[in-house]
Amino acid sequence: MSELLAKTLGDLDGVLGFEMFNEPHRGYVELQSFHSWDYNTDLHLSYCPTAFESFQLGAGHPTAVGTWTRSFPMPTRRTSFVVLNPHGRSVWRLDGPSGGKCIWELHNVWGWDKNRDEGVLLRENYFKFNPATGKKAFYWGQSGARENFSLQIHNIVKHAHEALGEHPVIIGECGIPMDMNKKEAFLTDNFIWQTRMMDAMLTALEKSLVGFTLWNYNPSNTDLAGDDWNGENFSWFSCKRALPPSLLYYEQDMPSLDNGGRILSSVVRPYPAKTAGIPHKFEYEMNTGCFVFEWRNRDAENGDECGHGDGGDERSSGNIDLRSLETEIFLPALLTVGRKVIVEGLDAEDTYEHDESRQTLFVVARDTRPGRVHRISVSVYPPVVSVFPVSDFWLDFGPRIVAAGGLFVGILVFALYVRYGLEV
């Protein structure tokens, strides 16, 4: 099917690629039990082997697996057990890198007891914690959430390029549930936590310089029905908060078009739409409205080596002939209406123009020397109102720790004085 799809549609100008596997499972990361999945988050239907059962099946051991069928009022229920892989076929090749053994058996997560002829778990907490340190990763506050997302997406992009070569990377269907925290925001109309999480995710995507499809905009969304699909509520637009069409102005820079939106301060962000060179770095801070963008000219002889996201991995970008010196950056009216746009970092001969009606910043960098890096810093005045503090552990608890430390030192000094000072 995939081969037929690629042959039929692969040469169309509007086709970038094909998603081979929609919404892949997160796998074993933070797996709480080898003997069950979370019924509330993982679909239980038909054969549903646990992680431990799947290890045994893959290693060529016939294993009894629960069978789940549709039911009511719960979506599914387990109705029987069936022995799968009755002929004992292994998925691990003898001439493969694992030598025919399950990779988790090689890591001593489990083993096969030949005397009892059954599998045995050896490391119950292997996926709960870092197997090398036995600890969980610790991230705190908004800075920690950004760092967490950034590291994960950076690693995905890095390994994609290592495995597949220099191809565009697009992250599909990424978004934040609006009904998180037990739908509290629907009652208070305060979507601050959704705003924070959306910002953390988008900041990470921006740093990795990858494309993405933000999930989602649903013009029929309501608090009660959500997106009217699978119990989901991801839309950043809500009918409850919208004006009727008769009261809207439809020019692209009209504020009325934003009516009905929620968490727009984190969703509507600047981005480089067309770059006269190779994008190298983009960082946006929604609490100030400022961003930094770096790009570079192609090298003359050896293709282009450009930093990929966050000043990270070096990778080739091929021989790209520039057709224009003009870089176009989407600069949303949400940031610029009633404010002055300030562009810093350009050379004396460079120019820029801000077209507010087109919500676009045009920048012309005239230095075309191979490998030259261009860097601009864009801000608005007056600054936007901060939505939340970009907190980290020390910002949240630093003053308390310092105060507690000072109190402890004070008590210690007083105790020493009482004991030794009075004797003198």
Side-chain angles (χ1 to χ4, degrees), residues 149-183:
F149 271 115
S150 296
L151 179 61
Q152 294 184 62
I153 294 176
H154 169 83
N155 286 336
I156 290 173
V157 175
K158 174 186 175 183
H159 292 302
H161 286 296
E162 289 176 350
L164 302 175
E166 180 59 22
H167 296 288
V169 175
I170 296 179
I171 307 294
E173 290 192 17
C174 52
I176 299 298
M178 297 298 154
D179 54 358
M180 63 190 298
N181 296 334
K182 300 180 180 180
K183 304 182 181 181

PDB file of all heavy atoms in Angstrom, residues 149-183:
ATOM      1  N   PHE A 149      11.345  19.324  26.767  1.00  0.00           N
ATOM      2  CA  PHE A 149      10.854  19.211  25.394  1.00  0.00           C
ATOM      3  C   PHE A 149      11.989  19.374  24.390  1.00  0.00           C
ATOM      4  O   PHE A 149      12.088  18.628  23.406  1.00  0.00           O
ATOM      5  CB  PHE A 149       9.786  20.274  25.117  1.00  0.00           C
ATOM      6  CG  PHE A 149       8.378  19.854  25.449  1.00  0.00           C
ATOM      7  CD1 PHE A 149       7.673  20.491  26.448  1.00  0.00           C
ATOM      8  CD2 PHE A 149       7.749  18.840  24.745  1.00  0.00           C
ATOM      9  CE1 PHE A 149       6.370  20.127  26.762  1.00  0.00           C
ATOM     10  CE2 PHE A 149       6.445  18.461  25.047  1.00  0.00           C
ATOM     11  CZ  PHE A 149       5.757  19.110  26.058  1.00  0.00           C
ATOM     12  N   SER A 150      12.849  20.375  24.616  1.00  0.00           N
ATOM     13  CA  SER A 150      13.919  20.685  23.665  1.00  0.00           C
ATOM     14  C   SER A 150      14.866  19.509  23.502  1.00  0.00           C
ATOM     15  O   SER A 150      15.277  19.173  22.376  1.00  0.00           O
ATOM     16  CB  SER A 150      14.695  21.926  24.121  1.00  0.00           C
ATOM     17  OG  SER A 150      13.872  23.069  24.124  1.00  0.00           O
ATOM     18  N   LEU A 151      15.237  18.872  24.602  1.00  0.00           N
ATOM     19  CA  LEU A 151      16.157  17.741  24.529  1.00  0.00           C
ATOM     20  C   LEU A 151      15.535  16.574  23.776  1.00  0.00           C
ATOM     21  O   LEU A 151      16.197  15.950  22.923  1.00  0.00           O
ATOM     22  CB  LEU A 151      16.545  17.305  25.943  1.00  0.00           C
ATOM     23  CG  LEU A 151      17.494  16.094  26.035  1.00  0.00           C
ATOM     24  CD1 LEU A 151      18.810  16.399  25.345  1.00  0.00           C
ATOM     25  CD2 LEU A 151      17.731  15.709  27.498  1.00  0.00           C
ATOM     26  N   GLN A 152      14.261  16.280  24.052  1.00  0.00           N
ATOM     27  CA  GLN A 152      13.613  15.156  23.386  1.00  0.00           C
ATOM     28  C   GLN A 152      13.492  15.376  21.879  1.00  0.00           C
ATOM     29  O   GLN A 152      13.803  14.493  21.074  1.00  0.00           O
ATOM     30  CB  GLN A 152      12.228  14.931  23.991  1.00  0.00           C
ATOM     31  CG  GLN A 152      12.253  14.473  25.441  1.00  0.00           C
ATOM     32  CD  GLN A 152      10.865  14.165  25.962  1.00  0.00           C
ATOM     33  OE1 GLN A 152      10.186  13.273  25.469  1.00  0.00           O
ATOM     34  NE2 GLN A 152      10.419  14.916  26.955  1.00  0.00           N
ATOM     35  N   ILE A 153      13.021  16.566  21.495  1.00  0.00           N
ATOM     36  CA  ILE A 153      12.844  16.834  20.067  1.00  0.00           C
ATOM     37  C   ILE A 153      14.188  16.931  19.367  1.00  0.00           C
ATOM     38  O   ILE A 153      14.358  16.460  18.230  1.00  0.00           O
ATOM     39  CB  ILE A 153      12.005  18.116  19.877  1.00  0.00           C
ATOM     40  CG1 ILE A 153      10.584  17.872  20.406  1.00  0.00           C
ATOM     41  CG2 ILE A 153      11.966  18.526  18.410  1.00  0.00           C
ATOM     42  CD1 ILE A 153       9.689  19.081  20.367  1.00  0.00           C
ATOM     43  N   HIS A 154      15.170  17.531  20.039  1.00  0.00           N
ATOM     44  CA  HIS A 154      16.516  17.598  19.473  1.00  0.00           C
ATOM     45  C   HIS A 154      17.041  16.200  19.165  1.00  0.00           C
ATOM     46  O   HIS A 154      17.616  15.950  18.091  1.00  0.00           O
ATOM     47  CB  HIS A 154      17.443  18.317  20.456  1.00  0.00           C
ATOM     48  CG  HIS A 154      18.901  18.219  20.087  1.00  0.00           C
ATOM     49  ND1 HIS A 154      19.489  19.062  19.163  1.00  0.00           N
ATOM     50  CD2 HIS A 154      19.876  17.375  20.511  1.00  0.00           C
ATOM     51  CE1 HIS A 154      20.769  18.738  19.036  1.00  0.00           C
ATOM     52  NE2 HIS A 154      21.022  17.725  19.847  1.00  0.00           N
ATOM     53  N   ASN A 155      16.854  15.266  20.100  1.00  0.00           N
ATOM     54  CA  ASN A 155      17.338  13.905  19.888  1.00  0.00           C
ATOM     55  C   ASN A 155      16.611  13.212  18.752  1.00  0.00           C
ATOM     56  O   ASN A 155      17.212  12.466  17.968  1.00  0.00           O
ATOM     57  CB  ASN A 155      17.193  13.096  21.179  1.00  0.00           C
ATOM     58  CG  ASN A 155      18.226  13.480  22.233  1.00  0.00           C
ATOM     59  OD1 ASN A 155      19.297  13.991  21.903  1.00  0.00           O
ATOM     60  ND2 ASN A 155      17.904  13.254  23.494  1.00  0.00           N
ATOM     61  N   ILE A 156      15.291  13.447  18.651  1.00  0.00           N
ATOM     62  CA  ILE A 156      14.526  12.850  17.547  1.00  0.00           C
ATOM     63  C   ILE A 156      15.067  13.335  16.205  1.00  0.00           C
ATOM     64  O   ILE A 156      15.315  12.553  15.285  1.00  0.00           O
ATOM     65  CB  ILE A 156      13.033  13.205  17.676  1.00  0.00           C
ATOM     66  CG1 ILE A 156      12.413  12.482  18.873  1.00  0.00           C
ATOM     67  CG2 ILE A 156      12.274  12.837  16.396  1.00  0.00           C
ATOM     68  CD1 ILE A 156      10.992  12.912  19.172  1.00  0.00           C
ATOM     69  N   VAL A 157      15.270  14.644  16.093  1.00  0.00           N
ATOM     70  CA  VAL A 157      15.753  15.230  14.832  1.00  0.00           C
ATOM     71  C   VAL A 157      17.174  14.762  14.529  1.00  0.00           C
ATOM     72  O   VAL A 157      17.508  14.410  13.393  1.00  0.00           O
ATOM     73  CB  VAL A 157      15.684  16.765  14.904  1.00  0.00           C
ATOM     74  CG1 VAL A 157      16.293  17.390  13.653  1.00  0.00           C
ATOM     75  CG2 VAL A 157      14.244  17.222  15.072  1.00  0.00           C
ATOM     76  N   LYS A 158      18.007  14.750  15.566  1.00  0.00           N
ATOM     77  CA  LYS A 158      19.395  14.324  15.381  1.00  0.00           C
ATOM     78  C   LYS A 158      19.463  12.900  14.845  1.00  0.00           C
ATOM     79  O   LYS A 158      20.164  12.610  13.859  1.00  0.00           O
ATOM     80  CB  LYS A 158      20.138  14.426  16.712  1.00  0.00           C
ATOM     81  CG  LYS A 158      21.553  13.861  16.677  1.00  0.00           C
ATOM     82  CD  LYS A 158      22.166  13.869  18.069  1.00  0.00           C
ATOM     83  CE  LYS A 158      23.541  13.193  18.071  1.00  0.00           C
ATOM     84  NZ  LYS A 158      24.128  13.137  19.444  1.00  0.00           N
ATOM     85  N   HIS A 159      18.740  11.977  15.467  1.00  0.00           N
ATOM     86  CA  HIS A 159      18.789  10.576  15.050  1.00  0.00           C
ATOM     87  C   HIS A 159      18.121  10.374  13.692  1.00  0.00           C
ATOM     88  O   HIS A 159      18.521   9.481  12.935  1.00  0.00           O
ATOM     89  CB  HIS A 159      18.144   9.687  16.106  1.00  0.00           C
ATOM     90  CG  HIS A 159      18.925   9.614  17.393  1.00  0.00           C
ATOM     91  ND1 HIS A 159      20.228   9.179  17.450  1.00  0.00           N
ATOM     92  CD2 HIS A 159      18.599   9.930  18.668  1.00  0.00           C
ATOM     93  CE1 HIS A 159      20.672   9.223  18.687  1.00  0.00           C
ATOM     94  NE2 HIS A 159      19.697   9.682  19.457  1.00  0.00           N
ATOM     95  N   ALA A 160      17.117  11.198  13.381  1.00  0.00           N
ATOM     96  CA  ALA A 160      16.484  11.105  12.059  1.00  0.00           C
ATOM     97  C   ALA A 160      17.489  11.436  10.965  1.00  0.00           C
ATOM     98  O   ALA A 160      17.577  10.731   9.950  1.00  0.00           O
ATOM     99  CB  ALA A 160      15.284  12.049  11.979  1.00  0.00           C
ATOM    100  N   HIS A 161      18.256  12.487  11.167  1.00  0.00           N
ATOM    101  CA  HIS A 161      19.261  12.855  10.158  1.00  0.00           C
ATOM    102  C   HIS A 161      20.406  11.851  10.097  1.00  0.00           C
ATOM    103  O   HIS A 161      20.933  11.572   9.012  1.00  0.00           O
ATOM    104  CB  HIS A 161      19.797  14.258  10.442  1.00  0.00           C
ATOM    105  CG  HIS A 161      18.839  15.349  10.108  1.00  0.00           C
ATOM    106  ND1 HIS A 161      18.407  15.593   8.818  1.00  0.00           N
ATOM    107  CD2 HIS A 161      18.218  16.267  10.877  1.00  0.00           C
ATOM    108  CE1 HIS A 161      17.571  16.612   8.813  1.00  0.00           C
ATOM    109  NE2 HIS A 161      17.433  17.033  10.051  1.00  0.00           N
ATOM    110  N   GLU A 162      20.777  11.299  11.236  1.00  0.00           N
ATOM    111  CA  GLU A 162      21.833  10.292  11.222  1.00  0.00           C
ATOM    112  C   GLU A 162      21.409   9.039  10.467  1.00  0.00           C
ATOM    113  O   GLU A 162      22.215   8.410   9.776  1.00  0.00           O
ATOM    114  CB  GLU A 162      22.225   9.927  12.662  1.00  0.00           C
ATOM    115  CG  GLU A 162      22.977  11.039  13.384  1.00  0.00           C
ATOM    116  CD  GLU A 162      23.253  10.674  14.834  1.00  0.00           C
ATOM    117  OE1 GLU A 162      22.689   9.654  15.311  1.00  0.00           O
ATOM    118  OE2 GLU A 162      24.010  11.408  15.503  1.00  0.00           O
ATOM    119  N   ALA A 163      20.121   8.684  10.589  1.00  0.00           N
ATOM    120  CA  ALA A 163      19.629   7.455   9.965  1.00  0.00           C
ATOM    121  C   ALA A 163      19.223   7.647   8.510  1.00  0.00           C
ATOM    122  O   ALA A 163      19.427   6.754   7.683  1.00  0.00           O
ATOM    123  CB  ALA A 163      18.436   6.909  10.763  1.00  0.00           C
ATOM    124  N   LEU A 164      18.650   8.812   8.192  1.00  0.00           N
ATOM    125  CA  LEU A 164      18.044   9.005   6.878  1.00  0.00           C
ATOM    126  C   LEU A 164      18.782   9.998   5.998  1.00  0.00           C
ATOM    127  O   LEU A 164      18.452  10.143   4.822  1.00  0.00           O
ATOM    128  CB  LEU A 164      16.587   9.489   7.052  1.00  0.00           C
ATOM    129  CG  LEU A 164      15.680   8.572   7.861  1.00  0.00           C
ATOM    130  CD1 LEU A 164      14.320   9.219   8.059  1.00  0.00           C
ATOM    131  CD2 LEU A 164      15.534   7.219   7.174  1.00  0.00           C
ATOM    132  N   GLY A 165      19.750  10.710   6.551  1.00  0.00           N
ATOM    133  CA  GLY A 165      20.450  11.709   5.750  1.00  0.00           C
ATOM    134  C   GLY A 165      19.759  13.058   5.816  1.00  0.00           C
ATOM    135  O   GLY A 165      18.867  13.290   6.636  1.00  0.00           O
ATOM    136  N   GLU A 166      20.172  13.934   4.940  1.00  0.00           N
ATOM    137  CA  GLU A 166      19.687  15.310   4.953  1.00  0.00           C
ATOM    138  C   GLU A 166      18.323  15.417   4.276  1.00  0.00           C
ATOM    139  O   GLU A 166      18.213  15.597   3.071  1.00  0.00           O
ATOM    140  CB  GLU A 166      20.699  16.225   4.256  1.00  0.00           C
ATOM    141  CG  GLU A 166      20.300  17.689   4.203  1.00  0.00           C
ATOM    142  CD  GLU A 166      20.097  18.264   5.586  1.00  0.00           C
ATOM    143  OE1 GLU A 166      20.636  17.718   6.559  1.00  0.00           O
ATOM    144  OE2 GLU A 166      19.386  19.267   5.697  1.00  0.00           O
ATOM    145  N   HIS A 167      17.281  15.270   5.065  1.00  0.00           N
ATOM    146  CA  HIS A 167      15.906  15.408   4.585  1.00  0.00           C
ATOM    147  C   HIS A 167      15.140  16.297   5.556  1.00  0.00           C
ATOM    148  O   HIS A 167      15.444  16.333   6.750  1.00  0.00           O
ATOM    149  CB  HIS A 167      15.221  14.046   4.474  1.00  0.00           C
ATOM    150  CG  HIS A 167      15.844  13.134   3.470  1.00  0.00           C
ATOM    151  ND1 HIS A 167      15.719  13.327   2.105  1.00  0.00           N
ATOM    152  CD2 HIS A 167      16.620  12.030   3.624  1.00  0.00           C
ATOM    153  CE1 HIS A 167      16.375  12.374   1.467  1.00  0.00           C
ATOM    154  NE2 HIS A 167      16.938  11.576   2.365  1.00  0.00           N
ATOM    155  N   PRO A 168      14.139  17.010   5.064  1.00  0.00           N
ATOM    156  CA  PRO A 168      13.341  17.846   5.971  1.00  0.00           C
ATOM    157  C   PRO A 168      12.635  16.996   7.021  1.00  0.00           C
ATOM    158  O   PRO A 168      12.232  15.865   6.765  1.00  0.00           O
ATOM    159  CB  PRO A 168      12.318  18.511   5.031  1.00  0.00           C
ATOM    160  CG  PRO A 168      12.917  18.412   3.668  1.00  0.00           C
ATOM    161  CD  PRO A 168      13.726  17.155   3.662  1.00  0.00           C
ATOM    162  N   VAL A 169      12.498  17.552   8.208  1.00  0.00           N
ATOM    163  CA  VAL A 169      11.819  16.871   9.312  1.00  0.00           C
ATOM    164  C   VAL A 169      10.567  17.660   9.674  1.00  0.00           C
ATOM    165  O   VAL A 169      10.637  18.871   9.897  1.00  0.00           O
ATOM    166  CB  VAL A 169      12.724  16.748  10.551  1.00  0.00           C
ATOM    167  CG1 VAL A 169      11.949  16.152  11.724  1.00  0.00           C
ATOM    168  CG2 VAL A 169      13.939  15.881  10.234  1.00  0.00           C
ATOM    169  N   ILE A 170       9.440  16.992   9.693  1.00  0.00           N
ATOM    170  CA  ILE A 170       8.183  17.607  10.094  1.00  0.00           C
ATOM    171  C   ILE A 170       7.579  16.777  11.228  1.00  0.00           C
ATOM    172  O   ILE A 170       7.406  15.568  11.095  1.00  0.00           O
ATOM    173  CB  ILE A 170       7.187  17.688   8.925  1.00  0.00           C
ATOM    174  CG1 ILE A 170       7.731  18.609   7.823  1.00  0.00           C
ATOM    175  CG2 ILE A 170       5.834  18.202   9.405  1.00  0.00           C
ATOM    176  CD1 ILE A 170       6.819  18.725   6.620  1.00  0.00           C
ATOM    177  N   ILE A 171       7.290  17.426  12.346  1.00  0.00           N
ATOM    178  CA  ILE A 171       6.634  16.765  13.466  1.00  0.00           C
ATOM    179  C   ILE A 171       5.130  16.931  13.290  1.00  0.00           C
ATOM    180  O   ILE A 171       4.633  18.035  13.158  1.00  0.00           O
ATOM    181  CB  ILE A 171       7.069  17.372  14.811  1.00  0.00           C
ATOM    182  CG1 ILE A 171       8.600  17.378  14.935  1.00  0.00           C
ATOM    183  CG2 ILE A 171       6.429  16.631  15.964  1.00  0.00           C
ATOM    184  CD1 ILE A 171       9.227  16.025  15.014  1.00  0.00           C
ATOM    185  N   GLY A 172       4.399  15.829  13.260  1.00  0.00           N
ATOM    186  CA  GLY A 172       2.970  15.896  12.981  1.00  0.00           C
ATOM    187  C   GLY A 172       2.110  15.879  14.238  1.00  0.00           C
ATOM    188  O   GLY A 172       2.483  15.313  15.265  1.00  0.00           O
ATOM    189  N   GLU A 173       0.977  16.533  14.161  1.00  0.00           N
ATOM    190  CA  GLU A 173      -0.056  16.485  15.203  1.00  0.00           C
ATOM    191  C   GLU A 173       0.498  16.657  16.617  1.00  0.00           C
ATOM    192  O   GLU A 173       0.437  15.757  17.447  1.00  0.00           O
ATOM    193  CB  GLU A 173      -0.839  15.164  15.108  1.00  0.00           C
ATOM    194  CG  GLU A 173      -1.727  15.090  13.882  1.00  0.00           C
ATOM    195  CD  GLU A 173      -2.701  13.930  13.948  1.00  0.00           C
ATOM    196  OE1 GLU A 173      -2.901  13.390  15.047  1.00  0.00           O
ATOM    197  OE2 GLU A 173      -3.268  13.567  12.906  1.00  0.00           O
ATOM    198  N   CYS A 174       1.047  17.830  16.870  1.00  0.00           N
ATOM    199  CA  CYS A 174       1.506  18.122  18.231  1.00  0.00           C
ATOM    200  C   CYS A 174       0.609  19.214  18.809  1.00  0.00           C
ATOM    201  O   CYS A 174       0.264  20.178  18.127  1.00  0.00           O
ATOM    202  CB  CYS A 174       2.964  18.565  18.229  1.00  0.00           C
ATOM    203  SG  CYS A 174       3.329  19.907  17.086  1.00  0.00           S
ATOM    204  N   GLY A 175       0.212  19.056  20.057  1.00  0.00           N
ATOM    205  CA  GLY A 175      -0.680  20.031  20.661  1.00  0.00           C
ATOM    206  C   GLY A 175      -0.810  19.801  22.152  1.00  0.00           C
ATOM    207  O   GLY A 175      -0.158  18.928  22.730  1.00  0.00           O
ATOM    208  N   ILE A 176      -1.668  20.606  22.784  1.00  0.00           N
ATOM    209  CA  ILE A 176      -1.868  20.559  24.223  1.00  0.00           C
ATOM    210  C   ILE A 176      -3.366  20.399  24.503  1.00  0.00           C
ATOM    211  O   ILE A 176      -4.182  21.137  23.952  1.00  0.00           O
ATOM    212  CB  ILE A 176      -1.360  21.854  24.887  1.00  0.00           C
ATOM    213  CG1 ILE A 176       0.135  22.026  24.622  1.00  0.00           C
ATOM    214  CG2 ILE A 176      -1.646  21.835  26.385  1.00  0.00           C
ATOM    215  CD1 ILE A 176       1.004  20.941  25.182  1.00  0.00           C
ATOM    216  N   PRO A 177      -3.760  19.455  25.365  1.00  0.00           N
ATOM    217  CA  PRO A 177      -5.183  19.285  25.681  1.00  0.00           C
ATOM    218  C   PRO A 177      -5.716  20.468  26.485  1.00  0.00           C
ATOM    219  O   PRO A 177      -5.131  20.854  27.501  1.00  0.00           O
ATOM    220  CB  PRO A 177      -5.214  17.988  26.497  1.00  0.00           C
ATOM    221  CG  PRO A 177      -3.842  17.865  27.074  1.00  0.00           C
ATOM    222  CD  PRO A 177      -2.917  18.464  26.058  1.00  0.00           C
ATOM    223  N   MET A 178      -6.826  21.035  26.035  1.00  0.00           N
ATOM    224  CA  MET A 178      -7.423  22.170  26.732  1.00  0.00           C
ATOM    225  C   MET A 178      -8.189  21.743  27.981  1.00  0.00           C
ATOM    226  O   MET A 178      -8.499  22.574  28.834  1.00  0.00           O
ATOM    227  CB  MET A 178      -8.368  22.928  25.781  1.00  0.00           C
ATOM    228  CG  MET A 178      -7.659  23.532  24.594  1.00  0.00           C
ATOM    229  SD  MET A 178      -6.440  24.760  25.075  1.00  0.00           S
ATOM    230  CE  MET A 178      -5.320  24.668  23.694  1.00  0.00           C
ATOM    231  N   ASP A 179      -8.480  20.462  28.085  1.00  0.00           N
ATOM    232  CA  ASP A 179      -9.246  19.985  29.244  1.00  0.00           C
ATOM    233  C   ASP A 179      -8.344  19.383  30.317  1.00  0.00           C
ATOM    234  O   ASP A 179      -8.802  18.609  31.159  1.00  0.00           O
ATOM    235  CB  ASP A 179     -10.299  18.971  28.811  1.00  0.00           C
ATOM    236  CG  ASP A 179      -9.714  17.814  28.013  1.00  0.00           C
ATOM    237  OD1 ASP A 179      -8.489  17.819  27.752  1.00  0.00           O
ATOM    238  OD2 ASP A 179     -10.470  16.898  27.648  1.00  0.00           O
ATOM    239  N   MET A 180      -7.077  19.728  30.312  1.00  0.00           N
ATOM    240  CA  MET A 180      -6.170  19.225  31.330  1.00  0.00           C
ATOM    241  C   MET A 180      -6.557  19.781  32.699  1.00  0.00           C
ATOM    242  O   MET A 180      -7.350  20.715  32.803  1.00  0.00           O
ATOM    243  CB  MET A 180      -4.722  19.618  30.990  1.00  0.00           C
ATOM    244  CG  MET A 180      -4.453  21.099  30.972  1.00  0.00           C
ATOM    245  SD  MET A 180      -2.835  21.552  30.284  1.00  0.00           S
ATOM    246  CE  MET A 180      -1.723  20.747  31.410  1.00  0.00           C
ATOM    247  N   ASN A 181      -5.998  19.194  33.751  1.00  0.00           N
ATOM    248  CA  ASN A 181      -6.308  19.581  35.133  1.00  0.00           C
ATOM    249  C   ASN A 181      -7.809  19.499  35.422  1.00  0.00           C
ATOM    250  O   ASN A 181      -8.405  20.415  36.008  1.00  0.00           O
ATOM    251  CB  ASN A 181      -5.790  20.990  35.437  1.00  0.00           C
ATOM    252  CG  ASN A 181      -4.275  21.076  35.359  1.00  0.00           C
ATOM    253  OD1 ASN A 181      -3.588  20.082  35.545  1.00  0.00           O
ATOM    254  ND2 ASN A 181      -3.754  22.256  35.072  1.00  0.00           N
ATOM    255  N   LYS A 182      -8.406  18.390  34.965  1.00  0.00           N
ATOM    256  CA  LYS A 182      -9.821  18.101  35.238  1.00  0.00           C
ATOM    257  C   LYS A 182     -10.756  19.215  34.741  1.00  0.00           C
ATOM    258  O   LYS A 182     -11.750  19.556  35.380  1.00  0.00           O
ATOM    259  CB  LYS A 182     -10.037  17.863  36.728  1.00  0.00           C
ATOM    260  CG  LYS A 182      -9.237  16.687  37.284  1.00  0.00           C
ATOM    261  CD  LYS A 182      -9.487  16.484  38.770  1.00  0.00           C
ATOM    262  CE  LYS A 182      -8.682  15.307  39.297  1.00  0.00           C
ATOM    263  NZ  LYS A 182      -8.897  15.091  40.750  1.00  0.00           N
ATOM    264  N   LYS A 183     -10.419  19.803  33.588  1.00  0.00           N
ATOM    265  CA  LYS A 183     -11.245  20.808  32.911  1.00  0.00           C
ATOM    266  C   LYS A 183     -11.422  22.080  33.733  1.00  0.00           C
ATOM    267  O   LYS A 183     -12.391  22.826  33.563  1.00  0.00           O
ATOM    268  CB  LYS A 183     -12.624  20.236  32.548  1.00  0.00           C
ATOM    269  CG  LYS A 183     -12.563  18.968  31.706  1.00  0.00           C
ATOM    270  CD  LYS A 183     -13.941  18.472  31.344  1.00  0.00           C
ATOM    271  CE  LYS A 183     -13.851  17.185  30.514  1.00  0.00           C
ATOM    272  NZ  LYS A 183     -15.185  16.692  30.113  1.00  0.00           N
TER     273      LYS A 183
END
